[in-house]
Amino acid sequence: MIGKKKAASAELNEKTDIKTPISEMIRKFKKQKNAVVALVFILFLVFLAFFGEAMAPFKINEYDYSSILQGPSSAHWFGTDEFGRDLFSRIISGTKISLAVGLSAVSVGAICGTILGLLGGYYRGIIDSIIMRICDTLFAFPGIILAIAIVAILGSGIGNVVIAVSVFSTPTFARLVRGRTLALKNSVFVQAAKNLGASDARILFRHILPGAVPEIIVQFTMSVGSSILTASSLSFLGMGAQPPTPEWGLLLANGRNYMMTSLHCTLFPGLAIFLTVLSFNILGDGLRDALDPKLTD
Amino acid sequence: MANGADILLSVEDMKIYYPVAGKRMGTVDYVKAVDGVSFEVRRGEVFGIVGESGCGKSTLGRGICKLERPTGGKVVLDGEDISSYNDKQMRPVRKKVQMVFQDPYASLNPRMSVFDIIAEPLAIHKLAKDKGDMEARVLDLLRKVGLDDYHANRYPHEFSGGQRQRIGIARALAVQPSLIIADEPVSALDVSIQAQVLNLMNQLKKEFHLTYIFVAHDLSVVEHISDRVGVMYLGNFVEVGNKESLYTNPLHPYTQALLSAVPIPDPTAKKDRVILEGNIPSPLNPPAGCKFHTRCPKCMDCCKVEAPQRYQVSEDHYVYCHLYDDKIKGGNS
C-alpha cells in the first residue's frame, strides 16, 4: 500500500516536472469525454475529406436510371437519389467541400479579425472607433442575411460563399481580440515589457496575442461549425455550390422534393451537417473548459 | 543641496494629473496624483519614498520611467534631460533605469518560461552575441538572484511569491541599469521573505553599484534599506532627509504622526501616539495652502492659505512646513 503510494507520488513528480501551459491544457482536455469523441469524429471527417472521394464505392456523378430513389441497401448504404446516384459516395465526397469552406472562411475571418482587434485595442483612438463601428454595422445584420447580400452582389458560387462567410466572421474575432487586448494592455507584465523598451510589435505579438490565443482557438472552433451551417444554407437556397456538386446543403435541397416518399435523401445529408456542426460546437466547449485557467479541477 | 555629490537623477517640479469628467457636463477636473515634486537621487544611494496609499508614491516612480506620461516637470537622468522623450527615444534610456514591480504574480507573463522572461531585455537591447552567450547570461542572472539553473525552463505559476520577485529582479538587472525603481517590491510578500528579498537587493546593490529608488508604505522596511527618505502626502513631499536624522528627529507633523504609528516590539513601552483625524483628502480637490492642514494638529492660519516652501533644517534634512519658517533663518534654499 505504502509502496503504491510512493510510486504514485514519484509518477506525479515526474509529470509535474514538465508543466507547460500546453501540457496542462491537454491534461484538462482529456478529462472531457464528449470533447474527445467530438475531436475523434472531426479527425475522421478530415480523413474523409482527403481520401473520401477515392474510397467511395461509386463515382459521385455515376448515373443509374435503373435504381432511382432507392432506400438504403447493402449496395447503396444511404440509398440513391433521383438520378440513381449513390448518396453515400456523394456525402463522403462532400465532406471535403464543407470542411474546406468552413475552415478557409473562418481562417480568413480569424486572421483579419485578430489583426483589427489588436490594432484597435492597442492604439485606441480613431482607428479603434472606425474598426468597431464597422464591426457594429456588420453585427447588426443576421449572419445569413449578410451572407445572402454579399453573394447576391458577387454572384453565386462556392468561392463567393467563402468570401461572404469570412466577412461575417471577422467582426466576432475583432471584438473578442480587442477585448482581450484592452485587458492585457494594462496588465503589469505588459507594462513591464514596455519598461524594458519592447517595441509595440513585440508587445502585441509576444505578450498580448499569446494571451488572446485561447479565446481565439475556442471562437475559431465554434465559428467553423456555424460557417459550415451557413455555407450549407446558402447552397440549400441555391446561392452557393451549384449542381452537380455533392455539397451537403445542395443534397438536402434536391432531396426536399422527395421527402414524402424517399426520406433518406434528406435524412443522411441532414445528419452529416448536424453531426459535423455539433461536434465542432462540442469541441469548442471542451477547448474552452480546457483553456480556461479559472476552471480548476 | 548637491554638495558636490554625484547626482544620478534629478526630478524638478514633476506633475502627473489624470483628467476625469468634471461635476458639470463638459468640464474636466484633474486628479493631481503627483503635484510638483522635486528631488535628487545621488549615485549609489537608496532613496526611500514612503507615504500612505493614494499619496502618489507609485505614480511618481512610474512617471520617472515614463510608464505614466508626466503632465509637467523635468527629469534629468545621468545628465540627460529625458522629460520630452518619446517611446523611441526612451528605448536606450531604459537600459539605465529599470523597475521592479509590486505584484510578482502580475508582473511576469504567465505564458513565458523564466528563461524567456529574463532573456527578453537582452533580446530587446541586443545585448547577447549569440544563443550561447544569451543562455550563459540568463543562467548567470538566475544564480545571482539565488535561483538555480533548472528553474529556467519553468513557468511563473510554479514559483512562490519571493521566487517570482527574484525573477523580476533578475529581469531588471539583465540590462545592467544604474538606477532601479522598486515599486513596493516586498509589500506583497511574507515578512520572512521580505527580509530575504531586501538582503538580496542590498547585496546586488553592492555587487552592481546600483542606485535604488525604493517606494514603500512600510516605514521599517524603508528604514532598513534606505540612505535617504522622502515622506509623501497627497502628491507632494512633506519631508526629505537622511535616514538617521529623519527617523530620530522627524520635523513635519505628518512624519511625526506616521512614525508614532510604527509598533514597538515591547509591550511595556509607553509611547506618545499622534493620532490623525479624518481621512486623506481627495487628490481631485486637494485643500488649499498646505495640503496637510485639514489633519494637522499644529495647523496655523497661514497654513490654510499658503503652501509651504522647502526649508532646510540641517545639512541633509528638508521639510515643507510653515512651522520651520522662522526657526532657521536663511534656511530656505
Side-chain angles (χ1 to χ4, degrees):
Chain A
M1 184 70 197
I2 296 164
K4 223 179 185 180
K5 249 187 186 170
K6 249 186 187 169
S9 72
E11 196 183 44
L12 202 73
N13 277 335
E14 227 166 78
K15 270 187 185 162
T16 47
D17 266 350
I18 33 159
K19 220 173 166 189
T20 64
I22 291 167
S23 72
E24 189 79 337
M25 187 213 114
I26 293 171
R27 192 180 61 79
K28 278 193 198 164
F29 184 78
K30 276 188 189 155
K31 284 193 175 166
Q32 306 180 57
K33 299 288 172 261
N34 287 349
V36 174
V37 172
L39 180 66
V40 170
F41 184 72
I42 288 169
L43 291 176
F44 171 66
L45 287 177
V46 171
F47 171 78
L48 280 186
F50 281 106
F51 305 107
E53 206 168 342
M55 281 171 33
F58 295 88
K59 290 237 163 56
I60 49 167
N61 288 321
E62 200 176 308
Y63 300 91
D64 180 2
Y65 295 106
S66 64
S67 56
I68 57 169
L69 290 174
Q70 282 187 349
S73 63
S74 57
H76 302 287
W77 291 3
F78 289 179
T80 56
D81 68 1
E82 73 272 29
F83 299 117
R85 290 175 293 190
D86 180 47
L87 260 180
F88 177 70
S89 306
R90 285 175 70 75
I91 286 174
I92 62 173
S93 308
T95 314
K96 182 169 58 183
I97 302 170
S98 287
L99 281 193
V101 169
L103 289 174
S104 58
V106 178
S107 304
V108 173
I111 292 168
C112 296
T114 301
I115 292 170
L116 291 176
L118 281 176
L119 293 178
Y122 192 71
Y123 291 107
R124 304 300 307 275
I126 188 105
I127 310 174
D128 188 35
S129 303
I130 293 171
I131 293 172
M132 289 330 284
R133 289 303 81 72
I134 293 173
C135 288
D136 287 344
T137 315
L138 290 176
F139 264 123
F141 293 101
I144 187 84
I145 303 282
L146 183 67
I148 289 174
I150 294 171
V151 172
I153 296 167
L154 298 173
S156 55
I158 204 91
N160 293 337
V161 168
V162 172
I163 296 174
V165 175
S166 10
V167 168
F168 88 72
S169 60
T170 300
T172 321
F173 286 98
R175 202 175 257 191
L176 181 86
V177 173
R178 175 178 175 269
R180 281 302 288 165
T181 309
L182 283 179
L184 288 173
K185 188 188 165 188
N186 291 323
S187 67
V188 183
F189 66 81
V190 168
Q191 304 257 313
K194 206 168 179 190
N195 182 54
L196 290 172
S199 60
D200 285 354
R202 189 182 189 92
I203 290 177
L204 278 173
F205 292 107
R206 292 288 308 264
H207 291 277
I208 293 180
L209 185 57
V213 160
E215 277 91 344
I216 296 174
I217 292 176
V218 172
Q219 184 59 45
F220 186 91
T221 321
M222 301 277 201
S223 293
V224 170
S226 62
S227 300
I228 290 175
L229 198 60
T230 312
S232 301
S233 311
L234 286 172
S235 297
F236 181 83
L237 295 170
M239 309 186 87
Q242 298 300 314
T245 323
E247 212 277 341
W248 292 343
L250 199 60
L251 295 183
L252 206 57
N254 286 340
R256 194 178 46 137
N257 301 325
Y258 313 102
M259 210 156 88
M260 289 302 153
T261 52
S262 313
L263 187 63
H264 63 272
C265 289
T266 45
L267 181 67
F268 291 112
L271 263 181
I273 297 174
F274 164 68
L275 287 177
T276 308
V277 175
L278 183 70
S279 40
F280 273 108
N281 283 347
I282 291 174
L283 178 67
D285 275 339
L287 285 174
R288 187 181 54 209
D289 292 348
L291 291 164
D292 190 350
K294 272 168 253 151
L295 287 175
T296 46
D297 38 318
Chain B
M1 183 171 175
N3 300 337
D6 190 2
I7 304 290
L8 178 64
L9 173 85
S10 103
V11 175
E12 267 173 53
D13 200 28
M14 179 183 283
K15 292 182 175 131
I16 300 175
Y17 293 175
Y18 298 111
V20 291
K23 276 180 188 150
R24 274 176 294 144
M25 280 271 282
T27 58
V28 180
D29 283 345
Y30 290 95
V31 173
K32 297 175 176 171
V34 176
D35 195 9
V37 167
S38 305
F39 67 101
E40 281 162 342
V41 178
R42 297 167 199 160
R43 199 181 293 276
E45 76 170 352
V46 178
F47 186 78
I49 300 176
V50 275
E52 58 194 295
S53 58
C55 72
K57 53 192 193 299
S58 289
T59 314
L60 176 62
R62 296 162 59 87
I64 293 168
C65 52
K66 293 275 177 103
L67 284 181
E68 305 285 347
R69 192 150 282 280
T71 317
K74 197 171 157 190
V75 180
V76 179
L77 178 73
D78 216 357
E80 192 181 356
D81 185 353
I82 60 169
S83 22
S84 61
Y85 278 14
N86 60 26
D87 281 354
K88 209 176 166 189
Q89 289 167 305
M90 271 305 283
R91 210 158 289 153
V93 178
R94 297 198 186 280
K95 272 194 274 186
K96 290 187 197 160
V97 48
Q98 271 302 315
M99 243 183 124
V100 174
F101 293 86
Q102 173 175 11
D103 184 351
Y105 292 86
S107 65
L108 307 175
N109 188 339
R111 289 171 205 286
M112 284 167 85
S113 70
V114 170
F115 183 91
D116 289 337
I117 288 171
I118 299 175
E120 186 166 38
L122 299 171
I124 290 170
H125 296 285
K126 301 189 176 63
L127 292 174
K129 272 173 261 144
D130 50 49
K131 262 193 165 173
D133 185 31
M134 173 92 89
E135 201 179 315
R137 294 178 76 152
V138 170
L139 294 181
D140 185 47
L141 282 163
L142 268 180
R143 283 179 223 127
K144 283 264 155 58
V145 297
L147 294 171
D148 278 314
D149 290 5
Y150 70 89
H151 287 129
N153 291 323
R154 300 201 170 189
Y155 285 81
H157 70 264
E158 297 172 69
F159 292 92
S160 69
Q163 286 174 315
R164 288 178 193 221
Q165 200 57 289
R166 285 167 193 266
I167 298 166
I169 292 170
R171 172 175 64 183
L173 278 179
V175 294
Q176 298 174 331
S178 38
L179 175 66
I180 289 186
I181 298 172
D183 181 8
E184 308 224 19
V186 296
S187 13
L189 306 175
D190 268 13
V191 178
S192 60
I193 310 294
Q194 282 191 358
Q196 288 177 16
V197 172
L198 287 175
N199 290 339
L200 172 72
M201 288 182 73
N202 255 332
Q203 179 195 325
L204 293 170
K205 173 179 174 271
K206 282 180 204 133
E207 194 173 340
F208 294 96
H209 309 290
L210 296 166
T211 306
Y212 289 139
I213 292 179
F214 194 96
V215 178
H217 60 251
D218 186 332
L219 285 159
S220 44
V221 166
V222 169
E223 184 181 11
H224 176 74
I225 197 162
S226 306
D227 301 313
R228 286 196 309 139
V229 178
V231 182
M232 268 185 98
Y233 183 77
L234 213 59
N236 287 103
F237 276 124
V238 293
E239 190 166 356
V240 180
N242 67 47
K243 176 175 74 185
E244 289 76 21
S245 159
L246 192 136
Y247 273 80
T248 50
N249 183 25
L251 297 172
H252 196 283
Y254 180 63
T255 319
Q256 289 166 356
L258 213 54
L259 285 176
S260 78
V262 176
I264 302 168
D266 176 4
T268 56
K270 286 239 172 186
K271 53 179 191 170
D272 297 326
R273 277 209 60 182
V274 185
I275 310 250
L276 292 179
E277 283 172 18
N279 280 321
I280 190 163
S282 163
L284 190 61
N285 189 16
C290 173
K291 285 180 178 171
F292 187 57
H293 83 252
T294 52
R295 298 166 79 189
C296 183
K298 295 173 186 165
C299 176
M300 301 176 294
D301 282 343
C302 66
C303 302
K304 294 173 185 167
V305 190
E306 197 189 336
Q309 287 176 297
R310 183 164 77 179
Y311 302 107
Q312 183 166 21
V313 283
S314 67
E315 194 197 327
D316 194 11
H317 197 158
Y318 303 85
V319 62
Y320 298 72
C321 180
H322 289 301
L323 287 171
Y324 302 92
D325 196 350
D326 301 318
K327 281 187 181 172
I328 293 155
K329 292 182 184 86
N332 183 354
S333 55

